[in-house]
Amino acid sequence: LDLRSGFQNLLSSTLSSFATRVMEKTLREIHLFARIASWVFFGGIGLKDSLTSFLFGANEECKVLPSGACTFGEVACDCSWNDFYQRSGLQPCSVHPNSRALQRLHVEGLREDIDATGDRFNTSFPNVALTPNTTEWYNGIGDMPGPVNGTSISRYRTTLDRVKTFSSLSSVIFPLYNYDQSIGKPLGIYIGFEQDGGFYGYAGCDVGFSAYAFWQSTEANGASALRPELCPLNKYGYDCRCRGWYDEGKQKALANEGFLHISPPYVFAGTTIVAQSVTSPLIDPQSDEHIGQVLIDIMPNAIIKALESHDYYSSELGTGLK
């Protein structure tokens, strides 16, 4: 019994150490992304008045179709990327001679109940968003509130400001996704914004963002308990501020309990994938205003494979791993 107990303790310690090493890469990536995003949004880096090419309109296109019926074929997926969704057979891939040039950031945000700057802190549900088809989404730059001529005094005050500033982060997001060809590469890299719940990022071959109109606030996902004024029970339309990864990361940062939050495994919006998120806050150093959370989604494959590789049984926990 002592030998068995000692082996279990050693194995648990070894797996814990291994899990830590697996996470170290993601922690370095989120630190880099958060640091550069902070410089960009809060004036530490000069920006040009230009925009990267975005994917817009996925949810406006897909909300009128049955759930799961929209393919939104504008997303490039190269077989050489070793993307999780392609590798798992969830998305088809093809071979492109210059596939990285086809990569585009996606922008998804609800435009219902917004004010003159694009901020959205309440909902008129059930007058809106009672069904996926009655949600309203930005369909392009022309829909977004904000200055169009580059005269804004802020990089995040309006929806258009945020999109234009986020555009400059393509030079960080794409390399973070592309450099790692292992099974541990990010599933997606994003920023979620406090003022309007906008969710911008890149997720490789995944098209789950095109199903955000079908995301619904339920008792199971707890959205109405987190932000009832934004996501009352049964309302449709994804709002990152109503998700646990965002709220827990934000609350931890505002309480000075740390600037890094690792979520437990959960079902990702728009998919059936169960994975984890690592998030860090964006806080203006001049005003202490929290403007959002940066996020990297991960599938802890290496940890899962390490566990599955051991013929291990814990009688105390009543669980087995083969």
Side-chain angles (χ1 to χ4, degrees):
L1 181 61
D2 289 342
L3 181 60
R4 180 183 179 85
S5 177
F7 173 75
Q8 290 175 343
N9 289 336
L10 177 61
L11 181 59
S12 296
S13 176
T14 301
L15 290 175
S16 176
S17 177
F18 180 71
T20 299
R21 293 199 301 273
V22 170
M23 288 298 297
E24 282 179 351
K25 180 181 78 70
T26 302
L27 299 184
R28 290 194 298 269
E29 291 168 348
I30 194 73
H31 175 75
L32 174 66
F33 184 38
R35 178 64 64 87
I36 296 176
S38 294
W39 292 341
V40 167
F41 275 96
F42 307 132
I45 298 177
L47 300 179
K48 293 182 178 180
D49 186 31
S50 60
L51 279 173
T52 298
S53 177
F54 286 109
L55 287 177
F56 278 108
N59 282 281
E60 278 298 300
E61 175 183 325
C62 295
K63 71 180 184 179
V64 299
L65 299 174
S67 179
C70 185
T71 58
F72 196 70
E74 294 186 50
V75 175
C77 182
D78 195 299
C79 301
S80 68
W81 294 349
N82 197 30
D83 184 274
F84 168 80
Y85 296 93
Q86 162 258 315
R87 193 173 62 247
S88 303
L90 299 173
Q91 292 294 334
C93 68
S94 55
V95 177
H96 299 275
N98 186 21
S99 61
R100 293 185 181 183
L102 302 176
Q103 293 175 330
R104 296 165 68 189
L105 301 174
H106 66 80
V107 170
E108 295 301 329
L110 288 162
R111 59 178 299 193
E112 61 210 19
D113 301 312
I114 60 173
D115 66 15
T117 65
D119 290 1
R120 185 173 55 83
F121 290 110
N122 51 57
T123 178
S124 57
F125 174 84
N127 295 325
V128 298
L130 186 60
T131 65
N133 194 26
T134 55
T135 58
E136 299 178 33
W137 302 84
Y138 289 114
N139 202 28
I141 290 294
D143 293 341
M144 295 181 166
V148 296
N149 58 2
T151 59
S152 177
I153 61 172
S154 171
R155 297 185 179 186
Y156 61 83
R157 188 55 57 198
T158 71
T159 298
L160 186 56
D161 287 331
R162 293 187 286 273
V163 169
K164 293 171 70 173
T165 305
F166 177 78
S167 171
S168 66
L169 289 172
S170 62
S171 60
V172 179
I173 292 173
F174 292 142
L176 282 177
Y177 172 83
N178 288 324
Y179 89 94
D180 186 1
Q181 296 298 307
S182 76
I183 62 173
K185 73 184 303 173
L187 299 183
I189 304 167
Y190 310 91
I191 297 181
F193 289 99
E194 180 66 22
Q195 290 100 321
D196 61 2
F199 196 52
Y200 312 159
Y202 181 69
C205 297
D206 182 33
V207 295
F209 62 88
S210 65
Y212 286 172
F214 294 89
W215 182 88
Q216 187 178 27
S217 174
T218 65
E219 291 183 358
N221 61 36
S224 61
L226 290 178
R227 298 294 295 269
E229 77 284 9
L230 293 171
C231 298
L233 199 61
N234 297 321
K235 180 185 181 294
Y236 280 91
Y238 181 80
D239 187 320
C240 65
R241 298 170 294 180
C242 301
R243 296 294 273 169
W245 63 263
Y246 183 98
D247 188 73
E248 291 166 20
K250 171 188 172 183
Q251 299 305 330
K252 180 183 289 187
L254 295 182
N256 291 318
E257 295 176 356
F259 287 86
L260 179 71
H261 173 68
I262 303 174
S263 78
Y266 68 100
V267 180
F268 281 16
T271 75
T272 58
I273 301 300
V274 177
Q276 291 178 270
S277 297
V278 181
T279 183
S280 188
L282 283 176
I283 298 177
D284 190 327
Q286 299 296 320
S287 64
D288 289 331
E289 180 180 359
H290 174 267
I291 74 160
Q293 295 286 128
V294 301
L295 171 78
I296 293 181
D297 288 334
I298 58 170
M299 175 67 74
N301 295 282
I303 300 172
I304 294 170
K305 287 183 179 294
L307 290 169
E308 291 175 343
S309 68
H310 291 276
D311 183 7
Y312 171 57
Y313 184 85
S314 172
S315 59
E316 292 81 9
L317 296 177
T319 58
L321 292 168
K322 293 287 187 180

Coordinates of all heavy atoms in Angstrom, one line a residue, residues 125 129-130 213-228 230-239 242-244 267-269:
F125 N -33.9 43.5 -24.9 CA -34.5 42.2 -25.0 C -35.8 42.2 -24.2 O -35.8 42.7 -23.1 CB -33.5 41.2 -24.5 CG -34.0 39.8 -24.4 CD1 -34.0 38.9 -25.5 CD2 -34.5 39.3 -23.2 CE1 -34.5 37.6 -25.4 CE2 -35.0 38.0 -23.0 CZ -35.0 37.2 -24.2
A129 N -33.1 40.3 -30.2 CA -32.3 39.1 -29.8 C -33.2 38.0 -29.2 O -32.7 37.2 -28.4 CB -31.2 39.5 -28.9
L130 N -34.5 38.0 -29.6 CA -35.3 36.9 -29.1 C -35.1 35.6 -29.8 O -35.3 34.5 -29.3 CB -36.8 37.3 -29.2 CG -37.8 36.4 -28.6 CD1 -37.6 36.2 -27.1 CD2 -39.2 36.9 -28.9
A213 N -24.4 34.3 -33.5 CA -25.8 34.7 -33.4 C -26.7 33.6 -32.7 O -27.7 33.9 -32.2 CB -26.4 34.9 -34.8
F214 N -26.2 32.3 -32.7 CA -26.9 31.2 -32.2 C -26.6 30.9 -30.7 O -27.2 30.1 -30.1 CB -26.7 30.0 -33.0 CG -27.3 30.1 -34.4 CD1 -26.5 30.6 -35.4 CD2 -28.6 29.7 -34.6 CE1 -27.0 30.7 -36.7 CE2 -29.1 29.8 -35.9 CZ -28.3 30.3 -36.9
W215 N -25.6 31.7 -30.2 CA -25.2 31.5 -28.8 C -26.3 32.2 -28.0 O -26.8 33.3 -28.2 CB -23.9 32.2 -28.5 CG -23.5 32.1 -27.1 CD1 -22.7 31.1 -26.5 CD2 -23.7 33.0 -26.0 NE1 -22.5 31.3 -25.2 CE2 -23.2 32.4 -24.8 CE3 -24.5 34.2 -25.9 CZ2 -23.2 33.0 -23.6 CZ3 -24.5 34.8 -24.6 CH2 -23.9 34.2 -23.5
Q216 N -26.8 31.4 -26.9 CA -27.9 31.9 -26.1 C -27.5 31.9 -24.6 O -26.8 31.0 -24.1 CB -29.1 31.0 -26.3 CG -30.4 31.5 -25.7 CD -31.6 30.5 -26.0 OE1 -31.4 29.3 -26.2 NE2 -32.8 31.1 -25.9
S217 N -28.0 32.9 -23.9 CA -27.8 32.9 -22.5 C -28.7 31.9 -21.8 O -29.9 31.9 -22.0 CB -28.2 34.3 -21.9 OG -28.1 34.4 -20.5
T218 N -28.1 31.0 -21.1 CA -28.8 29.9 -20.4 C -28.4 29.7 -19.0 O -27.4 30.3 -18.6 CB -28.6 28.5 -21.2 OG1 -27.2 28.2 -21.0 CG2 -28.9 28.6 -22.6
E219 N -29.2 29.0 -18.2 CA -28.8 28.7 -16.9 C -27.5 27.9 -16.8 O -26.7 28.1 -15.9 CB -29.9 28.0 -16.1 CG -31.1 28.8 -15.9 CD -32.2 28.1 -15.1 OE1 -32.0 26.9 -14.8 OE2 -33.2 28.7 -14.8
A220 N -27.3 27.0 -17.8 CA -26.1 26.2 -17.9 C -24.8 27.0 -18.0 O -23.8 26.7 -17.4 CB -26.3 25.1 -19.0
N221 N -24.9 28.0 -18.9 CA -23.6 28.7 -19.1 C -23.4 29.9 -18.2 O -22.4 30.6 -18.2 CB -23.5 29.2 -20.6 CG -24.6 30.1 -21.1 OD1 -25.1 31.0 -20.3 ND2 -25.0 30.0 -22.3
G222 N -24.5 30.2 -17.4 CA -24.3 31.2 -16.3 C -24.2 32.6 -16.7 O -23.9 33.5 -15.9
A223 N -24.5 32.9 -18.0 CA -24.3 34.3 -18.5 C -25.2 35.3 -17.8 O -24.8 36.4 -17.5 CB -24.6 34.3 -20.0
S224 N -26.5 34.9 -17.6 CA -27.4 35.8 -17.0 C -27.1 36.1 -15.5 O -27.4 37.2 -15.0 CB -28.9 35.3 -17.0 OG -29.0 34.0 -16.4
A225 N -26.4 35.2 -14.9 CA -26.0 35.5 -13.5 C -24.8 36.4 -13.4 O -24.7 37.3 -12.5 CB -25.6 34.2 -12.8
L226 N -23.9 36.4 -14.5 CA -22.8 37.2 -14.5 C -23.1 38.7 -14.9 O -22.7 39.6 -14.2 CB -21.7 36.7 -15.5 CG -21.0 35.4 -15.2 CD1 -20.1 35.0 -16.3 CD2 -20.2 35.6 -13.9
R227 N -23.9 38.8 -16.0 CA -24.3 40.2 -16.4 C -25.7 40.2 -16.9 O -26.0 40.2 -18.1 CB -23.4 40.6 -17.6 CG -21.9 40.7 -17.3 CD -21.6 41.8 -16.3 NE -21.9 43.1 -16.8 CZ -21.0 43.9 -17.5 NH1 -19.7 43.4 -17.7 NH2 -21.3 45.1 -17.9
P228 N -26.7 40.2 -15.9 CA -28.1 40.2 -16.3 C -28.6 41.3 -17.1 O -29.5 41.2 -17.9 CB -28.8 40.1 -14.9 CG -27.8 40.7 -14.0 CD -26.5 40.3 -14.5
L230 N -26.9 42.6 -19.5 CA -26.5 42.4 -20.9 C -27.0 41.1 -21.5 O -27.3 41.0 -22.7 CB -24.9 42.4 -20.9 CG -24.2 43.7 -20.6 CD1 -22.7 43.4 -20.5 CD2 -24.5 44.7 -21.7
C231 N -27.0 40.1 -20.7 CA -27.4 38.7 -21.2 C -28.4 38.1 -20.3 O -28.2 37.1 -19.7 CB -26.1 37.9 -21.2 SG -24.8 38.4 -22.2
P232 N -29.7 38.7 -20.3 CA -30.7 38.1 -19.6 C -31.0 36.7 -20.1 O -30.7 36.4 -21.3 CB -31.9 39.0 -19.8 CG -31.6 39.7 -21.0 CD -30.1 39.9 -21.1
L233 N -31.6 35.9 -19.3 CA -31.9 34.5 -19.7 C -32.7 34.4 -21.0 O -33.6 35.1 -21.2 CB -32.7 33.8 -18.6 CG -32.7 32.3 -18.5 CD1 -31.3 31.7 -18.3 CD2 -33.7 31.8 -17.4
N234 N -32.2 33.5 -21.9 CA -32.8 33.2 -23.2 C -32.4 34.2 -24.3 O -32.8 34.0 -25.5 CB -34.3 33.1 -23.1 CG -34.7 31.9 -22.2 OD1 -34.1 30.9 -22.3 ND2 -35.8 32.1 -21.4
K235 N -31.7 35.3 -24.0 CA -31.3 36.2 -25.1 C -30.2 35.6 -26.0 O -29.3 34.8 -25.5 CB -30.7 37.5 -24.4 CG -30.2 38.5 -25.5 CD -29.5 39.7 -24.8 CE -29.1 40.7 -25.8 NZ -28.0 40.2 -26.7
Y236 N -30.3 35.8 -27.3 CA -29.4 35.3 -28.3 C -28.3 36.4 -28.5 O -28.5 37.6 -28.4 CB -30.1 35.0 -29.6 CG -30.8 33.6 -29.5 CD1 -32.1 33.5 -29.1 CD2 -30.1 32.5 -29.9 CE1 -32.7 32.3 -29.1 CE2 -30.7 31.2 -29.8 CZ -32.0 31.1 -29.4 OH -32.6 29.9 -29.4
G237 N -27.2 35.9 -29.0 CA -26.1 36.8 -29.4 C -24.9 36.8 -28.5 O -25.0 37.2 -27.3
Y238 N -23.8 36.3 -28.9 CA -22.6 36.2 -28.1 C -22.1 37.6 -27.6 O -21.9 38.5 -28.4 CB -21.5 35.5 -28.8 CG -20.2 35.3 -28.0 CD1 -20.1 34.2 -27.1 CD2 -19.1 36.1 -28.2 CE1 -19.0 34.0 -26.4 CE2 -18.0 35.9 -27.5 CZ -17.9 34.9 -26.6 OH -16.7 34.6 -25.9
D239 N -21.8 37.7 -26.3 CA -21.2 38.8 -25.7 C -20.1 38.3 -24.7 O -20.4 37.7 -23.8 CB -22.3 39.6 -24.9 CG -21.8 41.0 -24.4 OD1 -20.6 41.0 -23.9 OD2 -22.5 42.0 -24.4
C242 N -20.2 38.3 -20.9 CA -21.0 37.4 -20.1 C -20.4 36.0 -20.0 O -21.1 35.1 -19.6 CB -22.4 37.3 -20.9 SG -23.2 38.9 -21.0
R243 N -19.2 35.9 -20.3 CA -18.5 34.6 -20.2 C -17.6 34.5 -19.0 O -17.0 35.6 -18.6 CB -17.7 34.3 -21.5 CG -18.5 34.2 -22.7 CD -19.4 33.0 -22.7 NE -18.8 31.8 -23.2 CZ -19.2 30.6 -23.1 NH1 -20.4 30.4 -22.4 NH2 -18.6 29.6 -23.6
G244 N -17.5 33.4 -18.4 CA -16.7 33.2 -17.2 C -15.2 33.6 -17.4 O -14.6 34.2 -16.5
V267 N -17.0 24.6 -22.7 CA -17.4 24.5 -24.0 C -17.3 25.8 -24.7 O -17.9 26.8 -24.3 CB -18.9 23.9 -24.1 CG1 -19.3 23.8 -25.6 CG2 -19.0 22.6 -23.4
F268 N -16.6 25.9 -25.8 CA -16.4 27.1 -26.5 C -17.6 27.5 -27.3 O -18.3 26.7 -27.8 CB -15.2 27.0 -27.5 CG -13.8 27.1 -26.9 CD1 -13.7 27.0 -25.5 CD2 -12.7 27.4 -27.7 CE1 -12.4 27.1 -24.9 CE2 -11.5 27.5 -27.1 CZ -11.3 27.3 -25.7
A269 N -17.9 28.8 -27.2 CA -19.1 29.4 -28.0 C -18.9 29.1 -29.5 O -17.9 29.2 -30.0 CB -19.2 30.9 -27.7

